[in-house]
PDB file of all heavy atoms in Angstrom:
ATOM      1  N   GLN P   1      98.858 -98.497 -50.296  1.00 98.00           N
ATOM      2  CA  GLN P   1      99.070 -97.588 -49.147  1.00 98.00           C
ATOM      3  C   GLN P   1      97.819 -96.808 -48.821  1.00 98.00           C
ATOM      4  O   GLN P   1      97.445 -96.640 -47.648  1.00 98.00           O
ATOM      5  CB  GLN P   1     100.228 -96.644 -49.431  1.00 98.00           C
ATOM      6  CG  GLN P   1     101.582 -97.327 -49.553  1.00 98.00           C
ATOM      7  CD  GLN P   1     102.693 -96.406 -50.060  1.00 98.00           C
ATOM      8  OE1 GLN P   1     102.393 -95.607 -50.938  1.00 98.00           O
ATOM      9  NE2 GLN P   1     103.845 -96.512 -49.520  1.00 98.00           N
ATOM     10  N   PHE P   2      97.155 -96.326 -49.844  1.00 98.00           N
ATOM     11  CA  PHE P   2      95.875 -95.542 -49.661  1.00 98.00           C
ATOM     12  C   PHE P   2      94.860 -96.442 -48.949  1.00 98.00           C
ATOM     13  O   PHE P   2      94.249 -96.028 -47.906  1.00 98.00           O
ATOM     14  CB  PHE P   2      95.325 -95.149 -51.016  1.00 98.00           C
ATOM     15  CG  PHE P   2      94.061 -94.400 -50.992  1.00 98.00           C
ATOM     16  CD1 PHE P   2      93.998 -93.028 -51.034  1.00 98.00           C
ATOM     17  CD2 PHE P   2      92.827 -95.096 -50.980  1.00 98.00           C
ATOM     18  CE1 PHE P   2      92.794 -92.314 -51.040  1.00 98.00           C
ATOM     19  CE2 PHE P   2      91.620 -94.420 -51.000  1.00 98.00           C
ATOM     20  CZ  PHE P   2      91.598 -93.042 -51.026  1.00 98.00           C
ATOM     21  N   LYS P   3      94.644 -97.621 -49.423  1.00 98.00           N
ATOM     22  CA  LYS P   3      93.629 -98.527 -48.815  1.00 98.00           C
ATOM     23  C   LYS P   3      94.018 -98.880 -47.386  1.00 98.00           C
ATOM     24  O   LYS P   3      93.148 -98.847 -46.473  1.00 98.00           O
ATOM     25  CB  LYS P   3      93.514 -99.834 -49.637  1.00 98.00           C
ATOM     26  CG  LYS P   3      92.737 -99.673 -50.972  1.00 98.00           C
ATOM     27  CD  LYS P   3      92.595-101.043 -51.598  1.00 98.00           C
ATOM     28  CE  LYS P   3      91.687-101.002 -52.828  1.00 98.00           C
ATOM     29  NZ  LYS P   3      91.515-102.338 -53.431  1.00 98.00           N
ATOM     30  N   GLU P   4      95.255 -99.240 -47.121  1.00 98.00           N
ATOM     31  CA  GLU P   4      95.647 -99.665 -45.792  1.00 98.00           C
ATOM     32  C   GLU P   4      95.577 -98.502 -44.803  1.00 98.00           C
ATOM     33  O   GLU P   4      95.122 -98.734 -43.659  1.00 98.00           O
ATOM     34  CB  GLU P   4      97.068-100.256 -45.841  1.00 98.00           C
ATOM     35  CG  GLU P   4      97.145-101.569 -46.530  1.00 98.00           C
ATOM     36  CD  GLU P   4      98.525-102.233 -46.447  1.00 98.00           C
ATOM     37  OE1 GLU P   4      99.439-101.537 -45.876  1.00 98.00           O
ATOM     38  OE2 GLU P   4      98.729-103.354 -46.901  1.00 98.00           O
ATOM     39  N   ALA P   5      95.994 -97.343 -45.196  1.00 98.00           N
ATOM     40  CA  ALA P   5      95.920 -96.189 -44.263  1.00 98.00           C
ATOM     41  C   ALA P   5      94.492 -95.828 -43.904  1.00 98.00           C
ATOM     42  O   ALA P   5      94.155 -95.682 -42.756  1.00 98.00           O
ATOM     43  CB  ALA P   5      96.645 -94.989 -44.912  1.00 98.00           C
ATOM     44  N   PHE P   6      93.638 -95.654 -44.930  1.00 98.00           N
ATOM     45  CA  PHE P   6      92.277 -95.335 -44.669  1.00 98.00           C
ATOM     46  C   PHE P   6      91.544 -96.449 -43.891  1.00 98.00           C
ATOM     47  O   PHE P   6      90.774 -96.166 -42.965  1.00 98.00           O
ATOM     48  CB  PHE P   6      91.520 -94.986 -45.915  1.00 98.00           C
ATOM     49  CG  PHE P   6      91.644 -93.551 -46.290  1.00 98.00           C
ATOM     50  CD1 PHE P   6      92.575 -93.090 -47.226  1.00 98.00           C
ATOM     51  CD2 PHE P   6      90.812 -92.563 -45.697  1.00 98.00           C
ATOM     52  CE1 PHE P   6      92.680 -91.726 -47.542  1.00 98.00           C
ATOM     53  CE2 PHE P   6      90.913 -91.226 -46.001  1.00 98.00           C
ATOM     54  CZ  PHE P   6      91.860 -90.801 -46.915  1.00 98.00           C
ATOM     55  N   ALA P   7      91.797 -97.713 -44.239  1.00 98.00           N
ATOM     56  CA  ALA P   7      91.162 -98.816 -43.565  1.00 98.00           C
ATOM     57  C   ALA P   7      91.476 -98.764 -42.088  1.00 98.00           C
ATOM     58  O   ALA P   7      90.615 -98.992 -41.203  1.00 98.00           O
ATOM     59  CB  ALA P   7      91.597-100.123 -44.181  1.00 98.00           C
ATOM     60  N   ALA P   8      92.749 -98.538 -41.753  1.00 98.00           N
ATOM     61  CA  ALA P   8      93.168 -98.523 -40.325  1.00 98.00           C
ATOM     62  C   ALA P   8      92.472 -97.419 -39.567  1.00 98.00           C
ATOM     63  O   ALA P   8      91.955 -97.634 -38.427  1.00 98.00           O
ATOM     64  CB  ALA P   8      94.677 -98.370 -40.252  1.00 98.00           C
ATOM     65  N   HIS P   9      92.416 -96.249 -40.108  1.00 98.00           N
ATOM     66  CA  HIS P   9      91.839 -95.076 -39.407  1.00 98.00           C
ATOM     67  C   HIS P   9      90.304 -95.176 -39.339  1.00 98.00           C
ATOM     68  O   HIS P   9      89.708 -94.766 -38.372  1.00 98.00           O
ATOM     69  CB  HIS P   9      92.261 -93.789 -40.031  1.00 98.00           C
ATOM     70  CG  HIS P   9      93.722 -93.496 -39.815  1.00 98.00           C
ATOM     71  ND1 HIS P   9      94.208 -92.916 -38.674  1.00 98.00           N
ATOM     72  CD2 HIS P   9      94.799 -93.715 -40.601  1.00 98.00           C
ATOM     73  CE1 HIS P   9      95.505 -92.795 -38.762  1.00 98.00           C
ATOM     74  NE2 HIS P   9      95.885 -93.279 -39.918  1.00 98.00           N
ATOM     75  N   ILE P  10      89.704 -95.697 -40.398  1.00 98.00           N
ATOM     76  CA  ILE P  10      88.249 -95.830 -40.383  1.00 98.00           C
ATOM     77  C   ILE P  10      87.839 -96.941 -39.414  1.00 98.00           C
ATOM     78  O   ILE P  10      86.838 -96.826 -38.705  1.00 98.00           O
ATOM     79  CB  ILE P  10      87.721 -96.089 -41.807  1.00 98.00           C
ATOM     80  CG1 ILE P  10      87.920 -94.842 -42.654  1.00 98.00           C
ATOM     81  CG2 ILE P  10      86.219 -96.480 -41.783  1.00 98.00           C
ATOM     82  CD1 ILE P  10      87.650 -95.068 -44.150  1.00 98.00           C
ATOM     83  N   LYS P  11      88.592 -98.005 -39.374  1.00 98.00           N
ATOM     84  CA  LYS P  11      88.360 -99.096 -38.405  1.00 98.00           C
ATOM     85  C   LYS P  11      88.393 -98.547 -36.983  1.00 98.00           C
ATOM     86  O   LYS P  11      87.564 -98.843 -36.158  1.00 98.00           O
ATOM     87  CB  LYS P  11      89.374-100.214 -38.558  1.00 98.00           C
ATOM     88  CG  LYS P  11      89.232-101.367 -37.629  1.00 98.00           C
ATOM     89  CD  LYS P  11      90.244-102.439 -37.934  1.00 98.00           C
ATOM     90  CE  LYS P  11      90.089-103.668 -37.064  1.00 98.00           C
ATOM     91  NZ  LYS P  11      90.498-103.395 -35.659  1.00 98.00           N
ATOM     92  N   GLU P  12      89.376 -97.689 -36.723  1.00 97.00           N
ATOM     93  CA  GLU P  12      89.521 -97.063 -35.420  1.00 97.00           C
ATOM     94  C   GLU P  12      88.305 -96.208 -35.127  1.00 97.00           C
ATOM     95  O   GLU P  12      87.731 -96.218 -34.036  1.00 97.00           O
ATOM     96  CB  GLU P  12      90.782 -96.187 -35.352  1.00 97.00           C
ATOM     97  CG  GLU P  12      90.933 -95.411 -34.061  1.00 97.00           C
ATOM     98  CD  GLU P  12      92.032 -94.361 -34.121  1.00 97.00           C
ATOM     99  OE1 GLU P  12      92.670 -94.194 -35.191  1.00 97.00           O
ATOM    100  OE2 GLU P  12      92.178 -93.638 -33.139  1.00 97.00           O
ATOM    101  N   ALA P  13      87.854 -95.408 -36.125  1.00 98.00           N
ATOM    102  CA  ALA P  13      86.697 -94.556 -35.940  1.00 98.00           C
ATOM    103  C   ALA P  13      85.447 -95.319 -35.632  1.00 98.00           C
ATOM    104  O   ALA P  13      84.667 -94.971 -34.737  1.00 98.00           O
ATOM    105  CB  ALA P  13      86.525 -93.653 -37.152  1.00 98.00           C
ATOM    106  N   VAL P  14      85.229 -96.375 -36.394  1.00 98.00           N
ATOM    107  CA  VAL P  14      84.030 -97.196 -36.193  1.00 98.00           C
ATOM    108  C   VAL P  14      84.037 -97.884 -34.833  1.00 98.00           C
ATOM    109  O   VAL P  14      83.031 -97.922 -34.135  1.00 98.00           O
ATOM    110  CB  VAL P  14      83.910 -98.234 -37.364  1.00 98.00           C
ATOM    111  CG1 VAL P  14      82.811 -99.276 -37.034  1.00 98.00           C
ATOM    112  CG2 VAL P  14      83.590 -97.520 -38.652  1.00 98.00           C
ATOM    113  N   GLU P  15      85.188 -98.470 -34.441  1.00 97.00           N
ATOM    114  CA  GLU P  15      85.239 -99.147 -33.145  1.00 97.00           C
ATOM    115  C   GLU P  15      85.120 -98.182 -31.987  1.00 97.00           C
ATOM    116  O   GLU P  15      84.520 -98.502 -30.989  1.00 97.00           O
ATOM    117  CB  GLU P  15      86.568 -99.900 -33.055  1.00 97.00           C
ATOM    118  CG  GLU P  15      86.639-101.114 -34.022  1.00 97.00           C
ATOM    119  CD  GLU P  15      87.994-101.824 -33.929  1.00 97.00           C
ATOM    120  OE1 GLU P  15      88.914-101.212 -33.401  1.00 97.00           O
ATOM    121  OE2 GLU P  15      88.074-102.963 -34.409  1.00 97.00           O
ATOM    122  N   SER P  16      85.679 -96.986 -32.125  1.00 97.00           N
ATOM    123  CA  SER P  16      85.643 -96.015 -31.028  1.00 97.00           C
ATOM    124  C   SER P  16      84.323 -95.235 -30.982  1.00 97.00           C
ATOM    125  O   SER P  16      83.740 -95.085 -29.893  1.00 97.00           O
ATOM    126  CB  SER P  16      86.806 -95.013 -31.215  1.00 97.00           C
ATOM    127  OG  SER P  16      86.713 -93.984 -30.279  1.00 97.00           O
ATOM    128  N   PHE P  17      83.827 -94.837 -32.126  1.00 98.00           N
ATOM    129  CA  PHE P  17      82.640 -94.006 -32.204  1.00 98.00           C
ATOM    130  C   PHE P  17      81.367 -94.788 -32.272  1.00 98.00           C
ATOM    131  O   PHE P  17      80.324 -94.392 -31.676  1.00 98.00           O
ATOM    132  CB  PHE P  17      82.760 -93.055 -33.383  1.00 98.00           C
ATOM    133  CG  PHE P  17      81.570 -92.128 -33.563  1.00 98.00           C
ATOM    134  CD1 PHE P  17      81.357 -91.118 -32.660  1.00 98.00           C
ATOM    135  CD2 PHE P  17      80.750 -92.244 -34.667  1.00 98.00           C
ATOM    136  CE1 PHE P  17      80.271 -90.238 -32.812  1.00 98.00           C
ATOM    137  CE2 PHE P  17      79.653 -91.415 -34.826  1.00 98.00           C
ATOM    138  CZ  PHE P  17      79.412 -90.417 -33.913  1.00 98.00           C
ATOM    139  N   GLY P  18      81.361 -95.942 -32.919  1.00 97.00           N
ATOM    140  CA  GLY P  18      80.160 -96.764 -33.054  1.00 97.00           C
ATOM    141  C   GLY P  18      79.027 -96.130 -33.797  1.00 97.00           C
ATOM    142  O   GLY P  18      77.961 -95.900 -33.226  1.00 97.00           O
ATOM    143  N   PRO P  19      79.196 -95.794 -35.078  1.00 98.00           N
ATOM    144  CA  PRO P  19      78.132 -95.079 -35.793  1.00 98.00           C
ATOM    145  C   PRO P  19      76.937 -95.915 -36.135  1.00 98.00           C
ATOM    146  O   PRO P  19      77.019 -97.125 -36.334  1.00 98.00           O
ATOM    147  CB  PRO P  19      78.862 -94.678 -37.095  1.00 98.00           C
ATOM    148  CG  PRO P  19      79.870 -95.724 -37.298  1.00 98.00           C
ATOM    149  CD  PRO P  19      80.356 -96.069 -35.942  1.00 98.00           C
ATOM    150  N   ASP P  20      75.782 -95.277 -36.115  1.00 97.00           N
ATOM    151  CA  ASP P  20      74.559 -95.913 -36.621  1.00 97.00           C
ATOM    152  C   ASP P  20      74.490 -95.855 -38.120  1.00 97.00           C
ATOM    153  O   ASP P  20      73.911 -96.702 -38.796  1.00 97.00           O
ATOM    154  CB  ASP P  20      73.323 -95.220 -36.048  1.00 97.00           C
ATOM    155  CG  ASP P  20      73.274 -95.230 -34.524  1.00 97.00           C
ATOM    156  OD1 ASP P  20      73.344 -96.344 -33.929  1.00 97.00           O
ATOM    157  OD2 ASP P  20      73.181 -94.124 -33.940  1.00 97.00           O
ATOM    158  N   LEU P  21      75.140 -94.799 -38.671  1.00 98.00           N
ATOM    159  CA  LEU P  21      75.118 -94.545 -40.105  1.00 98.00           C
ATOM    160  C   LEU P  21      76.468 -94.024 -40.568  1.00 98.00           C
ATOM    161  O   LEU P  21      77.025 -93.155 -39.914  1.00 98.00           O
ATOM    162  CB  LEU P  21      74.000 -93.538 -40.453  1.00 98.00           C
ATOM    163  CG  LEU P  21      73.958 -93.007 -41.892  1.00 98.00           C
ATOM    164  CD1 LEU P  21      73.614 -94.149 -42.855  1.00 98.00           C
ATOM    165  CD2 LEU P  21      72.940 -91.880 -41.969  1.00 98.00           C
ATOM    166  N   ILE P  22      76.960 -94.536 -41.664  1.00 98.00           N
ATOM    167  CA  ILE P  22      78.168 -94.072 -42.297  1.00 98.00           C
ATOM    168  C   ILE P  22      77.820 -93.373 -43.608  1.00 98.00           C
ATOM    169  O   ILE P  22      77.157 -93.992 -44.466  1.00 98.00           O
ATOM    170  CB  ILE P  22      79.200 -95.182 -42.543  1.00 98.00           C
ATOM    171  CG1 ILE P  22      79.578 -95.894 -41.243  1.00 98.00           C
ATOM    172  CG2 ILE P  22      80.462 -94.626 -43.243  1.00 98.00           C
ATOM    173  CD1 ILE P  22      80.453 -97.121 -41.412  1.00 98.00           C
ATOM    174  N   ILE P  23      78.228 -92.123 -43.753  1.00 98.00           N
ATOM    175  CA  ILE P  23      77.930 -91.386 -45.001  1.00 98.00           C
ATOM    176  C   ILE P  23      79.270 -91.109 -45.720  1.00 98.00           C
ATOM    177  O   ILE P  23      80.129 -90.425 -45.171  1.00 98.00           O
ATOM    178  CB  ILE P  23      77.245 -90.046 -44.674  1.00 98.00           C
ATOM    179  CG1 ILE P  23      75.865 -90.290 -44.031  1.00 98.00           C
ATOM    180  CG2 ILE P  23      77.059 -89.236 -46.015  1.00 98.00           C
ATOM    181  CD1 ILE P  23      75.161 -88.986 -43.612  1.00 98.00           C
ATOM    182  N   CYS P  24      79.423 -91.628 -46.896  1.00 98.00           N
ATOM    183  CA  CYS P  24      80.650 -91.448 -47.675  1.00 98.00           C
ATOM    184  C   CYS P  24      80.400 -90.469 -48.808  1.00 98.00           C
ATOM    185  O   CYS P  24      79.367 -90.539 -49.483  1.00 98.00           O
ATOM    186  CB  CYS P  24      81.143 -92.816 -48.209  1.00 98.00           C
ATOM    187  SG  CYS P  24      81.588 -94.015 -47.012  1.00 98.00           S
ATOM    188  N   HIS P  25      81.394 -89.627 -49.078  1.00 98.00           N
ATOM    189  CA  HIS P  25      81.269 -88.657 -50.142  1.00 98.00           C
ATOM    190  C   HIS P  25      82.161 -89.082 -51.301  1.00 98.00           C
ATOM    191  O   HIS P  25      83.359 -89.346 -51.130  1.00 98.00           O
ATOM    192  CB  HIS P  25      81.633 -87.284 -49.620  1.00 98.00           C
ATOM    193  CG  HIS P  25      80.573 -86.730 -48.700  1.00 98.00           C
ATOM    194  ND1 HIS P  25      79.585 -85.877 -49.113  1.00 98.00           N
ATOM    195  CD2 HIS P  25      80.365 -86.970 -47.368  1.00 98.00           C
ATOM    196  CE1 HIS P  25      78.784 -85.590 -48.070  1.00 98.00           C
ATOM    197  NE2 HIS P  25      79.238 -86.242 -47.012  1.00 98.00           N
ATOM    198  N   HIS P  26      81.515 -89.075 -52.485  1.00 98.00           N
ATOM    199  CA  HIS P  26      82.093 -89.524 -53.776  1.00 98.00           C
ATOM    200  C   HIS P  26      81.905 -91.036 -53.948  1.00 98.00           C
ATOM    201  O   HIS P  26      82.241 -91.823 -53.043  1.00 98.00           O
ATOM    202  CB  HIS P  26      83.591 -89.228 -53.965  1.00 98.00           C
ATOM    203  CG  HIS P  26      83.833 -87.731 -53.942  1.00 98.00           C
ATOM    204  ND1 HIS P  26      84.514 -87.126 -52.940  1.00 98.00           N
ATOM    205  CD2 HIS P  26      83.506 -86.760 -54.827  1.00 98.00           C
ATOM    206  CE1 HIS P  26      84.626 -85.837 -53.196  1.00 98.00           C
ATOM    207  NE2 HIS P  26      83.997 -85.596 -54.331  1.00 98.00           N
ATOM    208  N   LEU P  27      81.308 -91.401 -55.038  1.00 98.00           N
ATOM    209  CA  LEU P  27      81.090 -92.840 -55.334  1.00 98.00           C
ATOM    210  C   LEU P  27      82.361 -93.383 -56.010  1.00 98.00           C
ATOM    211  O   LEU P  27      82.358 -93.747 -57.200  1.00 98.00           O
ATOM    212  CB  LEU P  27      79.873 -92.986 -56.259  1.00 98.00           C
ATOM    213  CG  LEU P  27      78.584 -92.312 -55.761  1.00 98.00           C
ATOM    214  CD1 LEU P  27      77.462 -92.572 -56.793  1.00 98.00           C
ATOM    215  CD2 LEU P  27      78.189 -92.842 -54.387  1.00 98.00           C
ATOM    216  N   TYR P  28      83.421 -93.449 -55.223  1.00 98.00           N
ATOM    217  CA  TYR P  28      84.680 -93.872 -55.787  1.00 98.00           C
ATOM    218  C   TYR P  28      85.444 -94.794 -54.844  1.00 98.00           C
ATOM    219  O   TYR P  28      84.810 -95.508 -54.053  1.00 98.00           O
ATOM    220  CB  TYR P  28      85.494 -92.593 -56.164  1.00 98.00           C
ATOM    221  CG  TYR P  28      86.481 -92.895 -57.256  1.00 98.00           C
ATOM    222  CD1 TYR P  28      86.094 -93.422 -58.500  1.00 98.00           C
ATOM    223  CD2 TYR P  28      87.824 -92.639 -57.080  1.00 98.00           C
ATOM    224  CE1 TYR P  28      86.990 -93.703 -59.462  1.00 98.00           C
ATOM    225  CE2 TYR P  28      88.785 -92.901 -58.088  1.00 98.00           C
ATOM    226  CZ  TYR P  28      88.324 -93.438 -59.306  1.00 98.00           C
ATOM    227  OH  TYR P  28      89.253 -93.754 -60.276  1.00 98.00           O
ATOM    228  N   LEU P  29      86.761 -94.814 -54.916  1.00 98.00           N
ATOM    229  CA  LEU P  29      87.587 -95.811 -54.284  1.00 98.00           C
ATOM    230  C   LEU P  29      87.327 -95.918 -52.793  1.00 98.00           C
ATOM    231  O   LEU P  29      87.180 -97.042 -52.270  1.00 98.00           O
ATOM    232  CB  LEU P  29      89.052 -95.564 -54.579  1.00 98.00           C
ATOM    233  CG  LEU P  29      90.054 -96.553 -54.039  1.00 98.00           C
ATOM    234  CD1 LEU P  29      89.758 -97.929 -54.584  1.00 98.00           C
ATOM    235  CD2 LEU P  29      91.469 -96.134 -54.382  1.00 98.00           C
ATOM    236  N   LEU P  30      87.352 -94.804 -52.063  1.00 98.00           N
ATOM    237  CA  LEU P  30      87.208 -94.894 -50.588  1.00 98.00           C
ATOM    238  C   LEU P  30      85.828 -95.368 -50.205  1.00 98.00           C
ATOM    239  O   LEU P  30      85.706 -96.175 -49.269  1.00 98.00           O
ATOM    240  CB  LEU P  30      87.506 -93.530 -49.982  1.00 98.00           C
ATOM    241  CG  LEU P  30      87.507 -93.524 -48.444  1.00 98.00           C
ATOM    242  CD1 LEU P  30      88.403 -94.532 -47.845  1.00 98.00           C
ATOM    243  CD2 LEU P  30      87.773 -92.119 -47.912  1.00 98.00           C
ATOM    244  N   THR P  31      84.787 -94.906 -50.866  1.00 98.00           N
ATOM    245  CA  THR P  31      83.425 -95.417 -50.556  1.00 98.00           C
ATOM    246  C   THR P  31      83.324 -96.899 -50.820  1.00 98.00           C
ATOM    247  O   THR P  31      82.709 -97.632 -50.035  1.00 98.00           O
ATOM    248  CB  THR P  31      82.403 -94.617 -51.394  1.00 98.00           C
ATOM    249  OG1 THR P  31      82.454 -93.234 -51.051  1.00 98.00           O
ATOM    250  CG2 THR P  31      80.985 -95.128 -51.147  1.00 98.00           C
ATOM    251  N   ALA P  32      83.921 -97.369 -51.890  1.00 98.00           N
ATOM    252  CA  ALA P  32      83.931 -98.813 -52.192  1.00 98.00           C
ATOM    253  C   ALA P  32      84.659 -99.564 -51.099  1.00 98.00           C
ATOM    254  O   ALA P  32      84.205-100.651 -50.662  1.00 98.00           O
ATOM    255  CB  ALA P  32      84.589 -99.080 -53.543  1.00 98.00           C
ATOM    256  N   LEU P  33      85.795 -99.014 -50.624  1.00 98.00           N
ATOM    257  CA  LEU P  33      86.535 -99.644 -49.523  1.00 98.00           C
ATOM    258  C   LEU P  33      85.693 -99.728 -48.248  1.00 98.00           C
ATOM    259  O   LEU P  33      85.657-100.786 -47.622  1.00 98.00           O
ATOM    260  CB  LEU P  33      87.794 -98.843 -49.274  1.00 98.00           C
ATOM    261  CG  LEU P  33      88.659 -99.285 -48.074  1.00 98.00           C
ATOM    262  CD1 LEU P  33      89.262-100.653 -48.314  1.00 98.00           C
ATOM    263  CD2 LEU P  33      89.773 -98.252 -47.809  1.00 98.00           C
ATOM    264  N   VAL P  34      85.002 -98.662 -47.931  1.00 98.00           N
ATOM    265  CA  VAL P  34      84.188 -98.655 -46.698  1.00 98.00           C
ATOM    266  C   VAL P  34      83.036 -99.712 -46.825  1.00 98.00           C
ATOM    267  O   VAL P  34      82.771-100.480 -45.867  1.00 98.00           O
ATOM    268  CB  VAL P  34      83.581 -97.233 -46.465  1.00 98.00           C
ATOM    269  CG1 VAL P  34      82.552 -97.251 -45.328  1.00 98.00           C
ATOM    270  CG2 VAL P  34      84.707 -96.251 -46.141  1.00 98.00           C
ATOM    271  N   ARG P  35      82.369 -99.734 -47.970  1.00 98.00           N
ATOM    272  CA  ARG P  35      81.298-100.738 -48.161  1.00 98.00           C
ATOM    273  C   ARG P  35      81.866-102.152 -48.013  1.00 98.00           C
ATOM    274  O   ARG P  35      81.202-103.024 -47.390  1.00 98.00           O
ATOM    275  CB  ARG P  35      80.687-100.529 -49.542  1.00 98.00           C
ATOM    276  CG  ARG P  35      79.656-101.603 -49.936  1.00 98.00           C
ATOM    277  CD  ARG P  35      78.322-101.468 -49.233  1.00 98.00           C
ATOM    278  NE  ARG P  35      78.328-101.805 -47.798  1.00 98.00           N
ATOM    279  CZ  ARG P  35      77.334-101.679 -46.973  1.00 98.00           C
ATOM    280  NH1 ARG P  35      76.173-101.192 -47.385  1.00 98.00           N
ATOM    281  NH2 ARG P  35      77.431-102.039 -45.675  1.00 98.00           N
ATOM    282  N   ASP P  36      83.031-102.388 -48.591  1.00 98.00           N
ATOM    283  CA  ASP P  36      83.650-103.730 -48.505  1.00 98.00           C
ATOM    284  C   ASP P  36      84.060-104.103 -47.070  1.00 98.00           C
ATOM    285  O   ASP P  36      83.920-105.236 -46.644  1.00 98.00           O
ATOM    286  CB  ASP P  36      84.880-103.740 -49.404  1.00 98.00           C
ATOM    287  CG  ASP P  36      85.349-105.165 -49.687  1.00 98.00           C
ATOM    288  OD1 ASP P  36      84.534-106.088 -49.733  1.00 98.00           O
ATOM    289  OD2 ASP P  36      86.582-105.332 -49.887  1.00 98.00           O
ATOM    290  N   MET P  37      84.531-103.102 -46.322  1.00 98.00           N
ATOM    291  CA  MET P  37      84.952-103.306 -44.923  1.00 98.00           C
ATOM    292  C   MET P  37      83.770-103.628 -43.999  1.00 98.00           C
ATOM    293  O   MET P  37      83.911-104.404 -43.065  1.00 98.00           O
ATOM    294  CB  MET P  37      85.707-102.103 -44.375  1.00 98.00           C
ATOM    295  CG  MET P  37      87.101-101.940 -44.953  1.00 98.00           C
ATOM    296  SD  MET P  37      87.871-100.468 -44.211  1.00 98.00           S
ATOM    297  CE  MET P  37      87.944-100.907 -42.482  1.00 98.00           C
ATOM    298  N   PHE P  38      82.652-102.924 -44.228  1.00 98.00           N
ATOM    299  CA  PHE P  38      81.510-103.004 -43.284  1.00 98.00           C
ATOM    300  C   PHE P  38      80.258-103.474 -44.020  1.00 98.00           C
ATOM    301  O   PHE P  38      79.348-102.679 -44.202  1.00 98.00           O
ATOM    302  CB  PHE P  38      81.323-101.642 -42.641  1.00 98.00           C
ATOM    303  CG  PHE P  38      82.543-101.109 -41.964  1.00 98.00           C
ATOM    304  CD1 PHE P  38      83.260-100.063 -42.538  1.00 98.00           C
ATOM    305  CD2 PHE P  38      82.986-101.630 -40.742  1.00 98.00           C
ATOM    306  CE1 PHE P  38      84.398 -99.554 -41.925  1.00 98.00           C
ATOM    307  CE2 PHE P  38      84.134-101.124 -40.137  1.00 98.00           C
ATOM    308  CZ  PHE P  38      84.860-100.123 -40.743  1.00 98.00           C
ATOM    309  N   PRO P  39      80.207-104.725 -44.418  1.00 97.00           N
ATOM    310  CA  PRO P  39      79.057-105.189 -45.216  1.00 97.00           C
ATOM    311  C   PRO P  39      77.736-105.208 -44.437  1.00 97.00           C
ATOM    312  O   PRO P  39      76.669-105.239 -45.044  1.00 97.00           O
ATOM    313  CB  PRO P  39      79.480-106.611 -45.598  1.00 97.00           C
ATOM    314  CG  PRO P  39      80.469-107.026 -44.551  1.00 97.00           C
ATOM    315  CD  PRO P  39      81.216-105.790 -44.186  1.00 97.00           C
TER     316      PRO P  39
END
């Protein structure tokens, strides 16, 4: 549930906002998920 919820909202943010740079805080589960989603 954690992965699916954050993946959906981060996907929305990336598609809507179009960042040049993504900064994740904590070298843990969510940061790993973001790296995996946006290689």
Side-chain angles (χ1 to χ4, degrees):
Q1 292 170 324
F2 178 97
K3 285 185 172 182
E4 289 185 358
F6 271 98
H9 290 278
I10 293 170
K11 180 176 182 290
E12 176 192 0
V14 169
E15 290 179 344
S16 174
F17 179 68
D20 302 305
L21 172 65
I22 300 174
I23 299 177
C24 296
H25 289 264
H26 298 112
L27 307 180
Y28 204 56
L29 182 59
L30 183 55
T31 298
L33 175 66
V34 173
R35 174 73 289 175
D36 195 32
M37 285 180 65
F38 305 105

